[in-house]
Amino acid sequence: MDFDESLPRRQFVKAAVAAGGASALSACLGRAPRAGEPVPTGVSDISNLPQRQHAWNDRVRVDADGNVHLPRHQTFLYLTVDADGPPEDDARGTVEAALRTLDRAYERSNEGLVYSLAYAPSYFDRFEATLPDSVDLPEPRRLSGFENPTFDTQDALLHLASDRGDVVLEAEEAMFGDRSEANGVAVEAKLGDALTVDDRRTGFIGAGMPAERQAQAGEPISGIPDSLPVPEQSPLFMGFEAGFAGNQATEDYVTIPEGPFAGGTTKHVANLRQRLGDWYDEQSFAERVMEMFSPSHAEQGLVEGVGDNLGADSGIDAVLDPETIQQSISDHGRVGHAQKAARANRDADGNVRILRRHVESTDDDVASLHFPSLQRRLSTFEEVRAAMNGDDLTDNPAIRQRVNNGILEYIFVQNRGNFLVPPRRHRALPTPRPA
Amino acid sequence: MNRRAVLRAGAGLAGAGIVGGCLQTESRSVRSPPLVENRPDAVYYPTHSEGMEMVGSTTAGEYKVAAMYSYPHRFWEVTGADTNKKELDGSHAMHFMAVVWDPETKTVLPNASLTAELTKDGSLADQTNLYAMLSQPMGLHYGNNLEGDGDGTYTASIDIGSVPDDRVRRSGDFRGRFTDPATAEIQFEYSERARDDLPYQEYDDAGNRAALEPMDMMAPSATVPPEGELPGAVRGTATSGDAVFVVTVQDTVPAGIEGDGQYLAVFAHTPYNRMVLPSMTLSGSLADDSFALESTLDPDLGYHYGAAVPEVTDGDTLAITVDTPPQLARHEGYEMAFLTMPDAEVQL
Ligand code: HEM
Ligand SMILES: [Cu+2]
């Protein structure tokens, strides 16, 4: 595989993560910004690790406002179990041993590796027994009247994340490739001996990364207009920050409280393509603020630049009541994305219900978004997405299903998958009713 | 190298200053002459018209869909009474259009949400929302300017969305209809040369208050029948913002709509060619009684704005208020009309 040596260093690492494979890894090891700097090692006693595979928040960077910054490089490996029917015990042993290798090799942090292995409803269909009622995990389905996604029904999803591109690559090579060492630790078992990679997707997030990646070799990627408008400081292609602490569920909140999978969570992962020509070229900054946050945010000038100034909370709770929304629609003919979605994203006590962990992607040279969301019950995600559709607001004809309706004009759902992220004790090929 | 790549390579060589000119020749600005000055706040003759190429038609779920393309067009998106001109950009290859209808009644559906994905040789050329829009030769259709990837065989995958009940009420046998999305795939050949061979005509009388004749399409058009052919009794007409309202009284309320008196069905259409004007918020008042005239799809009445009323007495005055003008994008010649729409009165 050839890598364009003239690429700036950081871009080069992204290109290598996107390409994957042993040659990408070796190219990357020579070129990564911090190649050569040691990667902190993991633990030999896994009881030092949390039961929650999704316990990432206190292991990654957090800014002064308390907002979590997800690891910059991520890989999503969609996996199938190699045999029909329920997996055998030795496959289970292989998976557990392979994961222990990762745990020993890398500190569970943004400097090392954070990861989780999750299982789809179709995986549990291999068994005669069914999942207990304490786990709400429907098959993926269409969640708006205008989408026609491919459903990801592979057995499992391995989600790898690190601030170091060389780490996600090496971990992948250790688990599925030829690599016999991971961060100096001998690879005793490989996931590849029990599971096969059916699809591989890559993501990234962080200030500056989307702007750097909006063009490849001078050519805008699909979805990005010729004006190359993505702001330098933005962590996302659409030009704003997301995931303020006050607008995210806590890990506690999304954790399944009871039953055999207590300590786990459910995970929805969508992939959405973006088409941002009209978003940037046809709209003013104020209009983008209206459509992303709310018309009130624009009126009051609440958002500056990429939204850093919002601190720890988008302030969306002040504009969720039906009267404010109706007033905004009659004054501006628009409703905000965060505004619509947040309507269904609070419980009776005002707690946020879902934990979004989305990252950008340039897979296949298309600007897209991988959208994982964690929630105690998967159907909670479906309810929030229904609120984001805003069908109930289309009685005013200025709000069309896709137009003036938050950001729906610019995003196109390609894939949807649902998964159970079991607690650590059941992370290796669990049965639906583990003891 | 695709056209966009050629342009970008050119930009690298020639510098940004030249790119502007280069883009303009690419998009043949000759083919979009400047807008006429002093456009009237009404329907007017556009500067030019272009032919279109039929791409194909097919059935998808409960819908029939036809697709066509033309040269990239400027058009205007509408939000409330504001218009926002969608400029052409050198990377657009075509104005891609689709019409969706119910095969049995040939009712054209104005409120399905359409998405088109264009692929060539398995790779993505463009994917976009198609805006519901109105043009003089084409009538009601969905369209947008799309990027291509050179000459060859394209697959257009068109997702037809369901029509939310909040958006348009359904009555009679249309109850429960248009709630399932469907996807249609159509393959077609595209070349820049074929596109450039499409008929093209400029008009000397651009800006006059008139409209082009509709063209023949392989799809039904959304028009309001002449008054003599409308169901029920035509009780009067009114105009507002150059739109025509035809007020009819039906003796029975369509099935599925509450009320057991008479039914006011108001048909809104363009002047000259009677094209349906959907997606307004209308209200009416009759003898001190105010009500919403709800946008409704009915197999017998077609798209109309309706309200069940106890009884219509001869000589009553119906006041029609347009709370929101037609929220659909406009091609040239329609972008100044149907925006500022004062109250209208009809003596019944
Ligand atoms: C390209 C796609 C997307 C972008 C760029 C984006 C960006 C944003 C931004 C900037 C905010 C406001 C700040 C914040 O609270 O994080 C927000 C809020 C939100 N987004 Fe998205 N989003 C995208 C897609 C989605 C999708 C697919 C969902 C699925 C349901 C979603 C759900 C939400 C929710 C629920 C909120 C409100 C959070 C609250 O409850 O306060 N977003 N998004
Ligand atoms: Cu059009």
Side-chain angles (χ1 to χ4, degrees), chain B residues 73-75 95-98 131-135 138-139 141-145 329-331:
Chain B
H73 282 310
R74 54 189 170 214
F75 66 90
H95 186 69
F96 186 85
M97 298 169 272
Y131 300 89
M133 58 173 80
L134 195 64
S135 96
M138 282 277 310
H141 64 282
Y142 300 87
N144 199 3
N145 296 322
R330 324 287 180 80
H331 281 226

Side-chain angles (χ1 to χ4, degrees), chain A residues 236-244 246-248 270 272-274 276 292-293 306 310 313-314 316-317 320 337-346 352-354 356 358 360 368-369 371 373 381 384-386 388 407 410-411 413 416:
Chain A
L236 295 169
F237 281 121
M238 291 193 81
F240 294 108
E241 289 188 359
F244 300 99
N247 304 89
Q248 293 277 46
L272 301 94
R273 286 184 187 154
Q274 303 174 55
L276 302 180
M292 182 61 84
F293 295 88
V306 299
L310 290 168
D313 197 304
S314 72
I316 208 73
D317 290 83
L320 302 184
H337 160 70
Q339 180 177 38
K340 271 181 307 172
R343 294 180 300 167
N345 198 22
R346 302 287 179 277
V352 181
R353 301 169 77 200
I354 68 172
R356 292 164 287 138
H358 52 85
E360 298 289 7
S368 80
L369 182 91
F371 190 100
S373 166
F381 176 79
V384 174
R385 173 65 209 208
M388 171 178 155
I407 56 175
Y410 319 99
I411 60 177
V413 178
R416 291 196 180 282

Side-chain angles (χ1 to χ4, degrees), chain A residues 142 144-148 218-228 273 275 278 281-283 287 332-334 366 391-404 409 412 414, chain B residues 2 4-5 8 77-80 84-87 89 91 111-113 115 117 124 126-129 131 144-147 159-164 166-167 181 183 279-281 324 327-328:
Chain A
R142 202 196 281 268
S144 72
F146 44 79
E147 68 183 38
N148 187 12
E219 174 100 358
I221 59 171
S222 180
I224 300 290
D226 287 352
S227 53
L228 301 180
R273 286 184 187 154
R275 187 191 203 249
D278 291 349
D281 292 350
E282 307 269 337
Q283 300 208 103
E287 288 169 327
H332 301 282
R334 286 183 173 80
V366 178
D391 279 355
D392 57 317
L393 304 171
T394 61
D395 59 336
N396 184 317
I399 311 297
R400 279 145 266 178
Q401 289 103 307
R402 299 291 281 266
V403 178
N404 296 332
E409 186 176 344
F412 304 89
Q414 296 303 117
Chain B
N2 64 30
R4 192 165 173 179
R8 300 206 63 82
E77 240 298 275
V78 171
T79 298
N84 175 21
K85 186 171 169 211
K86 298 266 185 187
E87 299 286 354
D89 139 351
S91 52
N111 297 120
S113 171
T115 309
E117 180 199 68
L124 181 70
D126 204 354
Q127 176 166 38
T128 180
N129 171 59
Y131 300 89
N144 199 3
N145 296 322
L146 269 93
E147 293 185 17
D159 287 343
I160 303 160
S162 57
V163 183
D166 288 296
R167 183 123 177 96
T183 300
S279 305
M280 286 189 259
T281 315
T324 316
Q327 298 296 290
L328 74 171

Side-chain angles (χ1 to χ4, degrees), chain A residues 195-207:
Chain A
L195 299 159
T196 300
V197 178
D198 179 71
D199 201 4
R200 176 179 190 279
R201 303 175 197 165
T202 67
F204 58 87
I205 181 131

Side-chain angles (χ1 to χ4, degrees), chain A residues 273-354:
Chain A
R273 286 184 187 154
Q274 303 174 55
R275 187 191 203 249
L276 302 180
D278 291 349
W279 173 248
Y280 281 111
D281 292 350
E282 307 269 337
Q283 300 208 103
S284 64
F285 177 77
E287 288 169 327
R288 291 199 289 277
V289 170
M290 286 189 201
E291 290 194 344
M292 182 61 84
F293 295 88
S294 79
S296 313
H297 278 67
E299 280 168 7
Q300 298 163 34
L302 297 182
V303 183
E304 291 163 22
V306 299
D308 260 337
N309 69 305
L310 290 168
D313 197 304
S314 72
I316 208 73
D317 290 83
V319 295
L320 302 184
D321 57 293
E323 295 72 34
T324 304
I325 292 178
Q326 286 310 329
Q327 191 60 47
S328 293
I329 293 175
S330 27
D331 292 348
H332 301 282
R334 286 183 173 80
V335 59
H337 160 70
Q339 180 177 38
K340 271 181 307 172
R343 294 180 300 167
N345 198 22
R346 302 287 179 277
D347 69 10
D349 301 322
N351 297 307
V352 181
R353 301 169 77 200
I354 68 172

Side-chain angles (χ1 to χ4, degrees), chain A residues 28-353:
Chain A
C28 189
L29 288 175
R31 282 287 306 276
R34 293 162 54 197
E37 265 184 52
V39 173
T41 52
V43 294
S44 46
D45 177 4
I46 63 161
S47 65
N48 291 321
L49 292 172
Q51 273 297 334
R52 297 175 185 173
Q53 290 197 74
H54 58 288
W56 293 11
N57 284 1
D58 55 9
R59 292 166 180 269
V60 299
R61 283 170 292 128
V62 176
D63 66 21
D65 294 314
N67 301 323
V68 168
H69 290 251
L70 292 169
R72 295 166 68 87
H73 299 280
Q74 305 202 7
T75 304
F76 299 80
L77 297 166
Y78 288 78
L79 308 172
T80 52
V81 173
D82 288 344
D84 290 338
E88 307 281 335
D89 274 345
D90 53 343
R92 195 163 288 130
T94 304
V95 169
E96 183 55 34
L99 296 178
R100 285 188 188 217
T101 301
L102 291 181
D103 294 338
R104 272 198 305 278
Y106 306 105
E107 180 181 273
R108 187 72 67 85
S109 77
N110 60 305
E111 299 282 311
L113 178 74
V114 293
Y115 77 91
S116 68
L117 182 57
Y119 297 88
S122 47
Y123 165 80
F124 292 106
D125 288 345
R126 293 170 168 273
F127 300 86
E128 232 147 73
T130 54
L131 284 168
D133 289 343
S134 51
V135 175
D136 172 59
L137 189 71
E139 293 280 350
R141 51 188 153 184
R142 202 196 281 268
L143 298 181
S144 72
F146 44 79
E147 68 183 38
N148 187 12
T150 302
F151 298 122
D152 292 315
T153 55
Q154 297 92 339
D155 289 295
L157 172 63
L158 179 66
H159 183 173
L160 303 171
S162 172
D163 276 336
R164 296 197 43 172
D166 50 347
V167 168
V168 282
L169 277 172
E170 189 191 54
E172 180 184 351
E173 277 302 295
M175 289 297 103
F176 296 99
D178 298 334
R179 200 156 172 92
S180 57
E181 275 193 353
N183 201 21
V185 170
V187 176
E188 277 165 21
K190 288 179 178 293
L191 283 179
D193 290 337
L195 299 159
T196 300
V197 178
D198 179 71
D199 201 4
R200 176 179 190 279
R201 303 175 197 165
T202 67
F204 58 87
I205 181 131
M209 294 175 93
E212 250 171 40
R213 288 154 181 74
Q214 59 186 322
Q216 309 270 330
E219 174 100 358
I221 59 171
S222 180
I224 300 290
D226 287 352
S227 53
L228 301 180
V230 179
E232 198 53 52
Q233 276 316 304
S234 177
L236 295 169
F237 281 121
M238 291 193 81
F240 294 108
E241 289 188 359
F244 300 99
N247 304 89
Q248 293 277 46
T250 61
E251 287 173 351
D252 278 347
Y253 192 89
V254 302
T255 299
I256 297 171
E258 67 210 356
F261 291 104
T265 188
T266 73
K267 181 170 184 168
H268 177 83
V269 186
N271 174 260
L272 301 94
R273 286 184 187 154
Q274 303 174 55
R275 187 191 203 249
L276 302 180
D278 291 349
W279 173 248
Y280 281 111
D281 292 350
E282 307 269 337
Q283 300 208 103
S284 64
F285 177 77
E287 288 169 327
R288 291 199 289 277
V289 170
M290 286 189 201
E291 290 194 344
M292 182 61 84
F293 295 88
S294 79
S296 313
H297 278 67
E299 280 168 7
Q300 298 163 34
L302 297 182
V303 183
E304 291 163 22
V306 299
D308 260 337
N309 69 305
L310 290 168
D313 197 304
S314 72
I316 208 73
D317 290 83
V319 295
L320 302 184
D321 57 293
E323 295 72 34
T324 304
I325 292 178
Q326 286 310 329
Q327 191 60 47
S328 293
I329 293 175
S330 27
D331 292 348
H332 301 282
R334 286 183 173 80
V335 59
H337 160 70
Q339 180 177 38
K340 271 181 307 172
R343 294 180 300 167
N345 198 22
R346 302 287 179 277
D347 69 10
D349 301 322
N351 297 307
V352 181
R353 301 169 77 200

